[in-house]
Amino acid sequence: MVPAPTATAPSPHSPYQSPHRLPPGLVHLVFHRGLTVQPHPCCGRLVPPETTAQVHPQLFTRALLSFATAEHGVQVVYGDVQRIELNGTEDCAAGVSFRDGRTLSADAVVLALGPWSGRLPLVSSLFNVSGLKAHSIVLRPQEPNAISPHALFLRYQPTPASETLDPEVYPRPTGEVYICGLSKEAIPPDDPEEIVGEPGSIAMLHEIAATVSNHLKVGAAELVAEQACFLPCTDDGLPVIGEIPGAKGCYVATGHSCWGILNGPATGASLAELIMEGSATTVNLKPFSPARFLRENDSS
Protein backbone atom coordinates (compact mmCIF):
# COMPACT_ATOMS: atom_id res chain seq x y z
CA MET A 1 0.00 0.00 0.00
CA VAL A 2 1.11 3.59 -0.39
CA PRO A 3 3.50 4.82 2.30
CA ALA A 4 1.75 6.57 5.17
CA PRO A 5 1.63 10.26 4.21
CA THR A 6 2.66 13.08 6.47
CA ALA A 7 -0.18 15.20 7.81
CA THR A 8 0.50 18.92 7.52
CA ALA A 9 -2.35 20.56 9.41
CA PRO A 10 -3.70 18.44 12.26
CA SER A 11 -6.68 19.47 14.31
CA PRO A 12 -5.83 20.95 17.71
CA HIS A 13 -7.91 18.10 19.16
CA SER A 14 -5.69 15.44 17.61
CA PRO A 15 -3.60 13.37 20.07
CA TYR A 16 -0.84 13.24 17.47
CA GLN A 17 1.71 15.95 16.79
CA SER A 18 2.55 17.42 13.40
CA PRO A 19 4.37 16.39 11.36
CA HIS A 20 3.58 12.75 12.07
CA ARG A 21 3.25 9.41 10.40
CA LEU A 22 -0.41 8.46 10.30
CA PRO A 23 -1.01 5.58 12.75
CA PRO A 24 -3.10 2.51 11.94
CA GLY A 25 -6.69 3.66 11.83
CA LEU A 26 -8.82 5.68 9.46
CA VAL A 27 -7.26 7.61 6.60
CA HIS A 28 -9.05 9.67 3.95
CA LEU A 29 -6.94 10.22 0.84
CA VAL A 30 -7.56 11.96 -2.45
CA PHE A 31 -6.40 9.92 -5.47
CA HIS A 32 -5.96 11.53 -8.87
CA ARG A 33 -4.60 8.99 -11.30
CA GLY A 34 -1.02 9.78 -12.21
CA LEU A 35 -0.74 12.57 -9.62
CA THR A 36 0.70 12.71 -6.12
CA VAL A 37 -1.42 11.35 -3.30
CA GLN A 38 -2.36 14.05 -0.81
CA PRO A 39 -3.95 13.58 2.63
CA HIS A 40 -7.49 14.82 2.96
CA PRO A 41 -7.91 17.67 5.52
CA CYS A 42 -9.81 15.34 7.86
CA CYS A 43 -6.56 13.42 8.46
CA GLY A 44 -5.94 15.80 11.34
CA ARG A 45 -8.43 13.82 13.42
CA LEU A 46 -7.88 10.08 13.50
CA VAL A 47 -9.32 7.27 15.53
CA PRO A 48 -6.57 5.78 17.73
CA PRO A 49 -5.91 2.09 16.99
CA GLU A 50 -6.58 1.21 20.64
CA THR A 51 -10.26 2.11 20.18
CA THR A 52 -10.66 0.97 16.57
CA ALA A 53 -12.08 -2.38 15.48
CA GLN A 54 -13.10 -3.98 12.22
CA VAL A 55 -16.16 -6.18 11.84
CA HIS A 56 -16.22 -8.94 9.23
CA PRO A 57 -19.94 -9.17 8.28
CA GLN A 58 -20.06 -12.90 7.59
CA LEU A 59 -17.97 -13.94 10.60
CA PHE A 60 -19.90 -11.57 12.86
CA THR A 61 -23.38 -12.72 11.87
CA ARG A 62 -22.40 -16.40 11.97
CA ALA A 63 -20.88 -15.95 15.42
CA LEU A 64 -24.06 -14.32 16.72
CA LEU A 65 -26.22 -17.07 15.26
CA SER A 66 -23.98 -19.83 16.61
CA PHE A 67 -24.06 -18.30 20.09
CA ALA A 68 -27.85 -17.91 20.00
CA THR A 69 -28.41 -21.52 18.98
CA ALA A 70 -25.83 -22.99 21.36
CA GLU A 71 -26.51 -20.88 24.44
CA HIS A 72 -30.17 -19.91 24.14
CA GLY A 73 -31.77 -22.74 22.18
CA VAL A 74 -32.69 -20.61 19.17
CA GLN A 75 -33.98 -22.67 16.24
CA VAL A 76 -33.29 -21.55 12.68
CA VAL A 77 -36.05 -22.22 10.14
CA TYR A 78 -35.33 -21.55 6.46
CA GLY A 79 -38.11 -20.50 4.14
CA ASP A 80 -39.47 -17.91 1.71
CA VAL A 81 -42.02 -15.85 3.64
CA GLN A 82 -45.13 -15.09 1.60
CA ARG A 83 -47.19 -13.12 4.10
CA ILE A 84 -47.63 -12.19 7.74
CA GLU A 85 -50.59 -13.85 9.43
CA LEU A 86 -52.67 -11.53 11.61
CA ASN A 87 -55.37 -12.35 14.10
CA GLY A 88 -58.42 -11.11 12.22
CA THR A 89 -60.29 -9.85 15.25
CA GLU A 90 -57.46 -7.94 16.89
CA ASP A 91 -55.05 -7.21 13.99
CA CYS A 92 -52.13 -8.64 15.93
CA ALA A 93 -49.35 -10.93 14.71
CA ALA A 94 -50.17 -14.63 14.68
CA GLY A 95 -47.27 -15.98 12.60
CA VAL A 96 -45.92 -16.22 9.06
CA SER A 97 -46.79 -18.30 5.99
CA PHE A 98 -44.17 -19.68 3.61
CA ARG A 99 -44.52 -20.08 -0.13
CA ASP A 100 -44.19 -23.85 0.20
CA GLY A 101 -47.37 -23.98 2.31
CA ARG A 102 -45.79 -24.17 5.76
CA THR A 103 -46.87 -21.86 8.56
CA LEU A 104 -45.04 -20.80 11.69
CA SER A 105 -47.05 -19.54 14.65
CA ALA A 106 -45.70 -16.62 16.67
CA ASP A 107 -46.86 -13.96 19.09
CA ALA A 108 -44.21 -11.53 17.79
CA VAL A 109 -42.80 -11.18 14.27
CA VAL A 110 -39.73 -9.10 13.37
CA LEU A 111 -39.26 -8.22 9.69
CA ALA A 112 -35.54 -7.67 9.13
CA LEU A 113 -35.52 -8.30 5.39
CA GLY A 114 -33.22 -5.55 4.16
CA PRO A 115 -34.08 -4.37 0.62
CA TRP A 116 -36.64 -7.18 0.34
CA SER A 117 -38.78 -5.69 3.13
CA GLY A 118 -41.00 -3.93 0.61
CA ARG A 119 -42.05 -7.24 -0.96
CA LEU A 120 -44.56 -7.65 1.87
CA PRO A 121 -47.74 -5.53 1.51
CA LEU A 122 -47.75 -4.88 5.25
CA VAL A 123 -44.55 -2.86 4.72
CA SER A 124 -45.00 -1.47 1.20
CA SER A 125 -48.42 -0.03 2.07
CA LEU A 126 -46.72 2.15 4.70
CA PHE A 127 -43.28 3.10 3.36
CA ASN A 128 -40.85 2.44 0.53
CA VAL A 129 -37.61 0.45 0.82
CA SER A 130 -35.34 0.62 -2.21
CA GLY A 131 -32.15 -1.23 -3.02
CA LEU A 132 -28.72 0.29 -3.63
CA LYS A 133 -26.42 -2.18 -5.38
CA ALA A 134 -22.85 -1.96 -4.08
CA HIS A 135 -19.83 -3.83 -5.44
CA SER A 136 -16.76 -5.24 -3.74
CA ILE A 137 -13.73 -7.42 -4.32
CA VAL A 138 -11.57 -9.33 -1.86
CA LEU A 139 -7.87 -9.85 -2.59
CA ARG A 140 -5.18 -11.78 -0.75
CA PRO A 141 -1.75 -10.31 -1.56
CA GLN A 142 1.19 -12.67 -1.82
CA GLU A 143 2.99 -10.48 0.72
CA PRO A 144 0.25 -9.56 3.24
CA ASN A 145 2.73 -7.90 5.61
CA ALA A 146 3.46 -5.34 2.90
CA ILE A 147 -0.05 -3.90 3.33
CA SER A 148 -0.26 -1.37 6.14
CA PRO A 149 -3.27 -1.57 8.50
CA HIS A 150 -5.00 1.57 7.27
CA ALA A 151 -8.66 1.78 6.29
CA LEU A 152 -8.75 4.12 3.30
CA PHE A 153 -11.72 6.29 2.36
CA LEU A 154 -10.84 7.51 -1.10
CA ARG A 155 -11.88 9.95 -3.77
CA TYR A 156 -10.75 8.51 -7.08
CA GLN A 157 -10.87 9.92 -10.61
CA PRO A 158 -9.97 7.48 -13.42
CA THR A 159 -9.31 10.53 -15.62
CA PRO A 160 -9.24 14.26 -14.81
CA ALA A 161 -12.56 14.75 -16.62
CA SER A 162 -14.38 11.72 -15.21
CA GLU A 163 -16.77 11.47 -12.29
CA THR A 164 -15.20 11.24 -8.84
CA LEU A 165 -15.70 7.85 -7.19
CA ASP A 166 -15.69 7.07 -3.46
CA PRO A 167 -14.16 3.62 -2.96
CA GLU A 168 -13.05 2.25 0.40
CA VAL A 169 -10.19 -0.11 1.23
CA TYR A 170 -10.10 -2.31 4.34
CA PRO A 171 -7.06 -4.51 5.07
CA ARG A 172 -8.12 -7.42 7.26
CA PRO A 173 -6.04 -9.09 9.97
CA THR A 174 -6.59 -12.37 8.09
CA GLY A 175 -4.30 -11.10 5.32
CA GLU A 176 -7.10 -10.19 2.92
CA VAL A 177 -7.95 -6.74 1.58
CA TYR A 178 -11.60 -5.78 1.07
CA ILE A 179 -12.28 -3.04 -1.52
CA CYS A 180 -15.79 -1.72 -2.06
CA GLY A 181 -17.75 1.06 -3.70
CA LEU A 182 -19.44 1.92 -7.02
CA SER A 183 -23.09 1.88 -5.94
CA LYS A 184 -26.19 2.33 -8.08
CA GLU A 185 -29.93 2.03 -7.59
CA ALA A 186 -31.28 -1.32 -8.74
CA ILE A 187 -34.07 -3.78 -8.03
CA PRO A 188 -32.84 -6.80 -6.05
CA PRO A 189 -33.69 -10.22 -7.50
CA ASP A 190 -36.08 -12.48 -5.63
CA ASP A 191 -33.26 -14.91 -4.88
CA PRO A 192 -30.18 -13.38 -3.19
CA GLU A 193 -28.07 -16.14 -4.75
CA GLU A 194 -28.69 -14.47 -8.13
CA ILE A 195 -26.90 -11.26 -7.14
CA VAL A 196 -23.74 -10.81 -9.21
CA GLY A 197 -21.44 -7.86 -9.71
CA GLU A 198 -21.51 -5.84 -12.90
CA PRO A 199 -18.32 -6.41 -14.95
CA GLY A 200 -17.57 -2.71 -15.40
CA SER A 201 -17.82 -1.96 -11.69
CA ILE A 202 -15.70 -4.97 -10.75
CA ALA A 203 -13.05 -3.97 -13.30
CA MET A 204 -12.93 -0.44 -11.88
CA LEU A 205 -12.39 -1.80 -8.35
CA HIS A 206 -9.45 -3.83 -9.65
CA GLU A 207 -8.06 -0.67 -11.25
CA ILE A 208 -8.41 1.18 -7.96
CA ALA A 209 -6.74 -1.68 -6.08
CA ALA A 210 -3.76 -1.61 -8.45
CA THR A 211 -3.51 2.16 -8.02
CA VAL A 212 -3.47 1.87 -4.24
CA SER A 213 -0.72 -0.75 -4.13
CA ASN A 214 1.45 -2.84 -6.45
CA HIS A 215 0.75 -5.72 -4.07
CA LEU A 216 -2.92 -5.62 -5.10
CA LYS A 217 -2.35 -5.80 -8.85
CA VAL A 218 -3.47 -8.78 -10.90
CA GLY A 219 -0.81 -11.46 -10.51
CA ALA A 220 0.44 -10.06 -7.21
CA ALA A 221 -2.68 -10.97 -5.24
CA GLU A 222 -5.02 -13.95 -5.15
CA LEU A 223 -8.61 -13.18 -6.11
CA VAL A 224 -10.84 -14.30 -3.23
CA ALA A 225 -14.16 -12.80 -4.32
CA GLU A 226 -15.87 -10.51 -6.81
CA GLN A 227 -19.33 -9.73 -5.50
CA ALA A 228 -22.21 -7.34 -5.00
CA CYS A 229 -24.85 -6.73 -2.35
CA PHE A 230 -27.95 -4.60 -1.89
CA LEU A 231 -28.22 -1.89 0.75
CA PRO A 232 -31.74 -1.12 2.03
CA CYS A 233 -32.60 2.58 1.76
CA THR A 234 -35.65 4.60 2.79
CA ASP A 235 -37.02 7.79 1.27
CA ASP A 236 -35.98 9.93 4.24
CA GLY A 237 -32.60 8.22 4.72
CA LEU A 238 -33.36 6.96 8.23
CA PRO A 239 -33.73 3.34 9.38
CA VAL A 240 -37.20 2.06 10.19
CA ILE A 241 -37.28 0.35 13.59
CA GLY A 242 -40.35 -0.40 15.65
CA GLU A 243 -43.86 -1.82 15.72
CA ILE A 244 -45.88 -1.50 12.52
CA PRO A 245 -49.02 0.61 13.06
CA GLY A 246 -52.18 -1.46 12.87
CA ALA A 247 -50.32 -4.76 13.33
CA LYS A 248 -49.71 -5.30 17.02
CA GLY A 249 -46.80 -7.63 17.69
CA CYS A 250 -45.35 -7.15 14.19
CA TYR A 251 -42.07 -5.23 14.11
CA VAL A 252 -39.76 -4.02 11.37
CA ALA A 253 -36.04 -3.28 11.27
CA THR A 254 -34.69 -2.15 7.91
CA GLY A 255 -33.34 0.83 5.97
CA HIS A 256 -29.89 1.01 7.58
CA SER A 257 -28.16 1.44 4.20
CA CYS A 258 -24.41 0.79 4.56
CA TRP A 259 -24.55 1.06 8.37
CA GLY A 260 -26.42 -2.19 9.00
CA ILE A 261 -23.49 -4.13 10.46
CA LEU A 262 -22.48 -1.20 12.66
CA ASN A 263 -25.99 -0.44 13.93
CA GLY A 264 -27.37 -3.98 13.84
CA PRO A 265 -26.49 -4.94 17.44
CA ALA A 266 -28.07 -1.79 18.90
CA THR A 267 -31.11 -2.29 16.67
CA GLY A 268 -31.52 -5.88 17.87
CA ALA A 269 -31.07 -4.96 21.52
CA SER A 270 -33.59 -2.12 21.28
CA LEU A 271 -36.18 -4.27 19.52
CA ALA A 272 -35.74 -7.01 22.12
CA GLU A 273 -36.41 -4.46 24.86
CA LEU A 274 -39.43 -3.11 22.99
CA ILE A 275 -40.90 -6.59 22.51
CA MET A 276 -40.16 -7.99 25.96
CA GLU A 277 -40.49 -4.89 28.13
CA GLY A 278 -42.74 -2.59 26.14
CA SER A 279 -40.13 0.14 25.60
CA ALA A 280 -36.52 0.47 24.46
CA THR A 281 -33.81 1.90 26.70
CA THR A 282 -30.69 1.15 24.64
CA VAL A 283 -31.76 3.55 21.88
CA ASN A 284 -34.54 6.11 21.62
CA LEU A 285 -36.53 4.55 18.77
CA LYS A 286 -38.99 7.41 18.31
CA PRO A 287 -37.13 9.02 15.35
CA PHE A 288 -37.04 5.64 13.59
CA SER A 289 -40.63 4.56 14.23
CA PRO A 290 -42.59 3.39 11.17
CA ALA A 291 -45.44 5.53 12.52
CA ARG A 292 -43.65 8.58 11.12
CA PHE A 293 -44.83 7.59 7.65
CA LEU A 294 -48.45 7.75 8.82
CA ARG A 295 -47.89 11.38 9.78
CA GLU A 296 -46.29 12.10 6.41
CA ASN A 297 -49.18 10.48 4.55
CA ASP A 298 -51.73 12.40 6.62
CA SER A 299 -49.99 15.73 5.95
CA SER A 300 -49.88 15.10 2.21
Side-chain angles (χ1 to χ4, degrees):
M1 192 168 288
V2 295
T6 299
T8 56
S11 161
H13 302 291
S14 172
Y16 308 103
Q17 299 298 316
S18 176
H20 65 271
R21 304 288 286 181
L22 298 179
L26 306 181
V27 183
H28 192 158
L29 303 177
V30 181
F31 269 77
H32 296 282
R33 190 175 184 184
L35 301 180
T36 304
V37 178
Q38 297 292 336
H40 190 274
C42 77
C43 282
R45 300 188 67 178
L46 295 173
V47 179
E50 294 79 13
T51 59
T52 304
Q54 181 179 163
V55 177
H56 187 298
Q58 185 184 73
L59 297 180
F60 177 62
T61 51
R62 286 184 174 179
L64 286 179
L65 190 58
S66 296
F67 180 82
T69 55
E71 300 295 329
H72 297 283
V74 171
Q75 294 183 344
V76 180
V77 178
Y78 293 94
D80 186 354
V81 174
Q82 183 177 28
R83 65 179 179 273
I84 308 303
E85 299 294 344
L86 299 177
N87 184 318
T89 59
E90 301 177 2
D91 283 335
C92 61
V96 297
S97 294
F98 298 102
R99 293 191 185 278
D100 60 10
R102 291 178 298 156
T103 60
L104 185 64
S105 299
D107 53 12
V109 175
V110 178
L111 304 177
L113 306 176
W116 290 274
S117 300
R119 300 293 176 92
L120 296 176
L122 192 62
V123 172
S124 61
S125 62
L126 184 60
F127 62 91
N128 178 55
V129 183
S130 59
L132 189 66
K133 188 175 184 180
H135 294 77
S136 62
I137 60 175
V138 181
L139 304 174
R140 183 180 292 112
Q142 296 175 2
E143 300 180 38
N145 292 333
I147 303 297
S148 62
H150 292 81
L152 305 181
F153 299 83
L154 310 176
R155 290 164 55 194
Y156 181 81
Q157 285 182 288
T159 65
S162 62
E163 178 185 3
T164 300
L165 307 175
D166 299 298
E168 300 174 3
V169 181
Y170 299 90
R172 291 173 171 171
T174 55
E176 300 172 341
V177 179
Y178 175 84
I179 304 162
C180 63
L182 283 74
S183 303
K184 60 177 293 185
E185 290 188 5
I187 299 175
D190 290 335
D191 186 353
E193 296 291 339
E194 297 178 1
I195 299 175
V196 294
E198 299 181 14
S201 297
I202 295 297
M204 179 56 67
L205 288 177
H206 279 289
E207 177 182 312
I208 292 168
T211 304
V212 169
S213 172
N214 290 334
H215 296 280
L216 299 178
K217 289 184 175 181
V218 174
E222 174 190 352
L223 176 61
V224 178
E226 295 176 338
Q227 56 200 7
C229 66
F230 277 85
L231 310 177
C233 304
T234 60
D235 291 341
D236 62 6
L238 291 177
V240 186
I241 310 169
E243 190 173 48
I244 297 177
K248 185 175 177 59
C250 189
Y251 304 83
V252 64
T254 188
H256 293 70
S257 185
C258 59
W259 303 106
I261 292 297
L262 178 66
N263 294 326
T267 298
S270 300
L271 271 181
E273 294 167 347
L274 181 62
I275 295 170
M276 300 301 295
E277 302 169 12
S279 62
T281 56
T282 297
V283 175
N284 176 15
L285 294 181
K286 186 175 181 179
F288 312 112
S289 171
R292 71 183 188 267
F293 297 103
L294 285 179
R295 295 190 293 270
E296 291 177 2
N297 294 336
D298 291 342
S299 62
S300 60

